[in-house]
Amino acid sequence: MNTKINEAINEILNQFGDKYIINSQINKSKVLMDLENYDKGLLEKLLSNEIIKNNFSLSIEGNTIIQINKLKEVFEADEYWQDSFTKYSKKIGLTTNGRFLDEETDVVLDFPYKDTLLKASMSREDTDQDDLRPNEPFLNEIIAKEEIDVLLDQKILINAKKYDSNGFRDIDVFDGSDNLIIKGNNLLALHTLKDKYAGKVELIYIDPPYNTYNDSFNYNDKFNHSTWLTFMKNRLEVAYDLLSDTGSIWINLDLTESHYLKVLCDNIFGRDKFYSEIIWVNNKQSKGYTDKISLHHNSILVYSKSEKFNVNLLNRTEEDNINYKNPDNDPNGPWRASDVRNSLWRPNLQYDIHTPSGKKINHPENGWRFSKETFEKELKVGKIKFNEDETRLIRKIYLKDQEGRVIESVWNTKEVGTTREANSEIKAMFNDNLFATPKPEKLLQRIIHVASKENEVILDFFMGSGTTQAVAHKMNRQYIGIEQMDYINSVAVPRLQKVIEGEQGGVSKEVNWQGGGSFIYVELMEKNRGFLKAIENSETQAELFKVFEFMINEADIDFKIDLENVKNTMHELTFLEQKKLLIKIIDKNQLYYNYSEINDGNVRDLISENDYEFNNHFYEKCGEDL
């Protein structure tokens, strides 16, 4: 709602063009940043306005002192939300004695979310820019500790369907060996799966939001890293519980957050469980700019659950064997020469070698790569020999001893594909680029090959376009996919249907995919969804007010909202602003029904008989063995 102060602020900010106003919306993060930095131009304009000067400055001995903290409160305030669950509303940072760094001189590190959970609807990608939904759909609300158990309790699953070569049909049972696709908030879905799948997932691959400008985490740089890391921390902690003792997690990121996430993962999985960083060269074409380094790679951080993690070597190709020859007709077959020098100094490797003709070959600076006993043994069987003039040693590595190709830390575009190829794969299936940032099937093929075996369970809880699930299906792995966005039903599920039908894109020919198989699709049962649709469909203020009255009496609201205040001030807003406000209320209360409520009268009536039986079977009858 507008006040004289708000009108004065808008008047001042509009004088700066699009610096602070974007599409008629105030960029609060930018304003707050400049206030904290005492931006001279902004403060001069503020003090030149009498309303602002009278309300936010003091006169001390003839000097005008602007009250920065009071001004910041205006921009941090949200008229209707009463965040009683935390002392922090929109800020994360360094604090001391409950006050932020800019308010005190003594500083300690305080991570405000350390004992709480961060819910995120991530609905920005699911709507057009001009849609009615609020501009900040990322729900950085803080849940009180006593409510966490309720929030993370198992959820009711609805719209259970089985997809196979005969199409799809409603089902009332769950075979624990079948593949599973879940639509809903991934944090809550992960906890819904926790009891059933804890310790049973062999491979987790995720391609989370990178926290770049275009992602759903577009926040003030003063705290957006902490917000994003909290979001990731909540999900990685439960992911750790789901992994088997021999399992691993592969996290695909760009440079924006990869180094921050490395530190977080060291804490969750253990620094000693860091297996490697894979550099995926994901494009060939240089970017058009000349003032920056053209970025051509993503990082994939790999962590194991324990020291039991073993990787599968890559399959060898003719190109891998090109350096293996047999010029001396060795009965053991083709071989290549290996380095005989040791990389580190070792006292037991410091010895000189005498050739059959009496020549001496001095040891390298760090010594040989083998002990004297090993040298004599391998020389005797012909694995070590001298060159023609007996000036150096040759040690043979035989092709017959190579079971596969060692995995290297840089993966090139030829072997695992590019982002452009991934887009082409989607376009070939749907005749359109329906998904902005898919990953190529060859990339997932390699990861799945390296980190799992047939029939083992693979999880991707940022399912996106369904690449992980599509490749896992073709490679005979059991998979779980979780996605909240509506494109799960416009891209991911239709893609898996095409896989079942035997589509020949991606890696299909390489793995000899012929079609078949099945998967189960379910949704977390949402509360308040009907209100959202009713708001969007309202065409008059009278219709909208009826919906709001019904919301006041019937909607489940977990965050504290002064609905009476909303009711008394709605008349000050335009019809479009009213709809935005009510949608914001629903977005901030995007809840799901817990399984413990399934027999409540008002809940049972909302669930089909098939879904009711499916839930009881899913949670009670087949939770022991998968």
Side-chain angles (χ1 to χ4, degrees):
M1 61 183 175
N2 290 329
T3 64
K4 290 183 178 180
I5 290 175
N6 287 339
E7 290 174 354
I9 288 173
N10 271 290
E11 180 182 341
I12 293 167
L13 297 182
N14 272 304
Q15 296 178 39
F16 292 89
D18 61 358
K19 182 177 182 180
Y20 299 116
I21 306 290
I22 301 175
N23 295 329
S24 301
Q25 298 289 322
I26 295 177
N27 185 344
K28 294 182 181 180
S29 298
K30 177 60 177 171
V31 177
L32 286 169
M33 186 185 302
D34 285 354
L35 286 175
E36 290 177 350
N37 293 330
Y38 288 82
D39 182 88
K40 181 180 179 181
L42 178 59
L43 295 185
E44 285 178 346
K45 291 290 185 183
L46 289 169
L47 287 173
S48 68
N49 184 284
E50 287 300 313
I51 293 176
I52 301 301
K53 184 176 180 180
N54 293 337
N55 285 276
F56 298 99
S57 70
L58 298 173
S59 179
I60 302 178
E61 295 184 354
N63 298 307
T64 301
I65 308 297
I66 192 165
Q67 295 173 293
I68 292 292
N69 287 337
K70 285 186 65 177
L71 262 175
K72 285 165 58 180
E73 288 174 2
V74 173
F75 291 96
E76 291 172 344
D78 210 337
E79 292 90 341
Y80 306 111
W81 305 101
Q82 302 170 3
D83 296 319
S84 60
F85 293 150
T86 175
K87 62 185 177 180
Y88 305 98
S89 58
K90 304 259 187 191
K91 294 178 64 174
I92 299 175
L94 297 172
T95 71
T96 177
N97 299 323
R99 297 176 67 84
F100 282 90
L101 172 60
D102 56 1
E103 300 167 351
E104 294 286 348
T105 55
D106 299 325
V107 180
V108 296
L109 181 62
D110 187 3
F111 189 43
Y113 288 151
K114 62 185 177 183
D115 296 323
T116 57
L117 292 168
L118 189 61
K119 282 173 56 177
S121 74
M122 291 182 57
S123 57
R124 171 173 294 184
E125 295 172 8
D126 197 24
T127 60
D128 295 328
Q129 214 168 23
D130 296 330
D131 204 343
L132 291 171
R133 293 179 183 272
N135 293 328
E136 293 185 351
F138 178 69
L139 306 185
N140 58 327
E141 311 297 343
I142 312 303
I143 310 302
K145 190 169 184 179
E146 59 269 21
E147 294 186 345
I148 290 177
D149 289 342
V150 175
L151 174 70
L152 301 183
D153 199 7
Q154 296 166 332
K155 299 295 180 272
I156 295 176
L157 305 171
I158 60 170
N159 296 329
K161 293 178 176 61
K162 181 164 185 171
Y163 290 75
D164 57 24
S165 56
N166 296 316
F168 64 88
R169 62 189 182 278
D170 294 338
I171 57 169
D172 58 7
V173 296
F174 177 73
D175 181 354
S177 65
D178 213 333
N179 303 307
L180 182 62
I181 303 299
I182 301 177
K183 184 178 189 296
N185 181 287
N186 59 6
L187 176 64
L188 307 187
L190 286 169
H191 281 276
T192 291
L193 296 171
K194 186 175 177 181
D195 288 348
K196 181 177 291 296
Y197 288 92
K200 297 177 181 178
V201 176
E202 190 65 20
L203 164 64
I204 297 175
Y205 169 83
I206 56 173
D207 181 24
Y210 292 175
N211 199 17
T212 56
Y213 178 78
N214 293 321
D215 278 330
S216 299
F217 298 84
N218 185 17
Y219 283 83
N220 183 334
D221 268 346
K222 297 263 181 180
F223 61 85
N224 73 349
H225 298 305
S226 296
T227 305
W228 185 87
L229 286 168
T230 300
F231 170 83
M232 292 300 298
K233 174 179 177 286
N234 298 153
R235 286 147 182 80
L236 291 175
E237 285 173 338
V238 63
Y240 177 88
D241 293 332
L242 292 170
L243 277 177
S244 71
D245 284 344
T246 56
S248 62
I249 183 169
W250 301 58
I251 308 171
N252 196 329
L253 292 164
D254 70 3
L255 295 179
T256 309
E257 293 287 4
S258 61
H259 299 86
Y260 292 90
L261 191 70
K262 169 69 169 63
V263 177
L264 176 64
C265 287
D266 283 348
N267 183 58
I268 294 173
F269 295 93
R271 191 172 182 182
D272 60 325
K273 301 306 184 298
F274 174 63
Y275 189 79
S276 183
E277 178 186 21
I278 304 296
I279 301 301
W280 168 39
V281 182
N282 61 354
N283 67 82
K284 303 174 183 177
Q285 187 67 40
S286 294
K287 305 298 188 298
Y289 43 71
T290 58
D291 59 337
K292 299 178 183 177
I293 294 176
S294 184
L295 186 63
H296 283 246
H297 77 278
N298 276 179
S299 295
I300 303 175
L301 300 180
V302 186
Y303 281 81
S304 62
K305 177 71 173 285
S306 72
E307 62 280 352
K308 297 178 182 178
F309 173 54
N310 290 313
V311 300
N312 302 312
L313 297 177
L314 300 177
N315 296 323
R316 298 189 68 82
T317 66
E318 288 300 318
E319 188 174 346
D320 297 323
N321 300 335
I322 196 171
N323 293 321
Y324 287 84
K325 311 290 183 183
N326 194 1
D328 57 353
N329 295 316
D330 191 314
N332 289 307
W335 55 271
R336 66 171 176 82
S338 70
D339 194 349
V340 295
R341 300 167 299 176
N342 199 43
S343 58
L344 298 174
W345 189 88
R346 295 268 300 277
N348 63 318
L349 304 179
Q350 309 291 316
Y351 58 91
D352 297 331
I353 291 175
H354 296 275
T355 71
S357 64
K359 292 181 179 179
K360 184 176 77 168
I361 301 178
N362 295 324
H363 62 75
E365 181 179 355
N366 289 328
W368 305 105
R369 293 192 69 175
F370 35 78
S371 66
K372 190 171 184 178
E373 292 75 20
T374 299
F375 161 71
E376 292 173 348
K377 179 181 177 182
E378 294 190 351
L379 179 65
K380 185 176 182 180
V381 299
K383 190 173 182 179
I384 290 179
K385 71 172 191 173
F386 300 98
N387 68 339
E388 289 185 4
D389 60 4
E390 295 185 347
T391 58
R392 62 186 179 85
L393 290 181
I394 298 174
R395 192 184 193 196
K396 299 179 180 180
I397 301 296
Y398 292 106
L399 178 59
K400 70 181 182 67
D401 296 331
Q402 308 311 305
E403 296 180 1
R405 179 157 66 91
V406 173
I407 302 153
E408 298 172 347
S409 61
V410 178
W411 294 2
N412 62 51
T413 57
K414 180 180 178 181
E415 292 183 319
V416 297
T418 65
T419 302
R420 179 173 292 184
E421 288 177 35
N423 282 309
S424 297
E425 290 169 356
I426 296 295
K427 189 172 183 179
M429 279 186 281
F430 298 103
N431 297 317
D432 199 355
N433 292 321
L434 298 179
F435 193 80
T437 55
K439 296 298 178 284
E441 289 199 6
K442 286 195 291 187
L443 175 67
L444 270 300
Q445 179 194 18
R446 171 168 288 192
I447 292 172
I448 291 171
H449 169 82
V450 166
S452 70
K453 296 180 176 63
E454 288 194 359
N455 300 314
E456 291 181 332
V457 181
I458 294 173
L459 167 65
D460 181 348
F461 50 89
F462 291 97
M463 184 176 175
S465 65
T467 304
T468 304
Q469 290 70 31
V471 178
H473 197 112
K474 295 174 184 179
M475 295 179 69
N476 196 28
R477 267 65 166 178
Q478 183 182 351
Y479 56 83
I480 303 170
I482 302 171
E483 180 57 64
Q484 181 165 323
M485 311 297 287
D486 283 344
Y487 49 64
I488 189 175
N489 286 312
S490 61
V491 181
V493 167
R495 179 179 189 172
L496 290 174
Q497 288 179 276
K498 291 178 182 293
V499 170
I500 290 173
E501 294 166 1
E503 63 89 10
Q504 291 299 296
V507 300
S508 292
K509 290 183 174 61
E510 187 173 342
V511 301
N512 193 29
W513 177 245
Q514 301 298 317
S518 64
F519 65 90
I520 304 295
Y521 171 88
V522 294
E523 299 175 358
L524 302 187
M525 185 179 178
E526 292 184 356
K527 298 181 178 181
N528 300 332
R529 184 70 176 177
F531 292 111
L532 184 60
K533 292 181 179 178
I535 293 167
E536 291 174 337
N537 293 334
S538 296
E539 296 182 356
T540 67
Q541 288 184 323
E543 289 179 4
L544 190 64
F545 192 75
K546 286 183 180 179
V547 175
F548 180 49
E549 288 282 358
F550 194 45
M551 281 175 55
I552 292 175
N553 296 323
E554 300 294 336
D556 287 288
I557 305 296
D558 65 343
F559 298 111
K560 302 302 181 183
I561 304 170
D562 188 349
L563 292 177
E564 287 302 317
N565 191 10
V566 175
K567 183 177 180 180
N568 293 333
T569 57
M570 272 187 67
H571 68 277
E572 301 177 12
L573 306 175
T574 66
F575 179 55
L576 185 61
E577 289 172 337
Q578 290 174 353
K579 294 184 80 170
K580 283 185 176 181
L581 174 61
L582 296 188
I583 288 173
K584 184 177 181 181
I585 293 174
I586 296 301
D587 262 1
K588 284 180 177 285
N589 290 276
Q590 191 174 19
L591 308 179
Y592 300 88
Y593 285 105
N594 287 346
Y595 175 65
S596 59
E597 303 173 88
I598 197 167
N599 289 312
D600 293 354
N602 62 331
V603 178
R604 178 65 184 88
D605 292 341
L606 301 174
I607 305 171
S608 70
E609 191 63 33
N610 276 338
D611 285 338
Y612 182 78
E613 292 299 326
F614 181 89
N615 277 271
N616 290 331
H617 195 261
F618 185 90
Y619 287 118
E620 296 177 0
K621 295 183 180 179
C622 63
E624 304 301 324
D625 299 306
L626 290 173

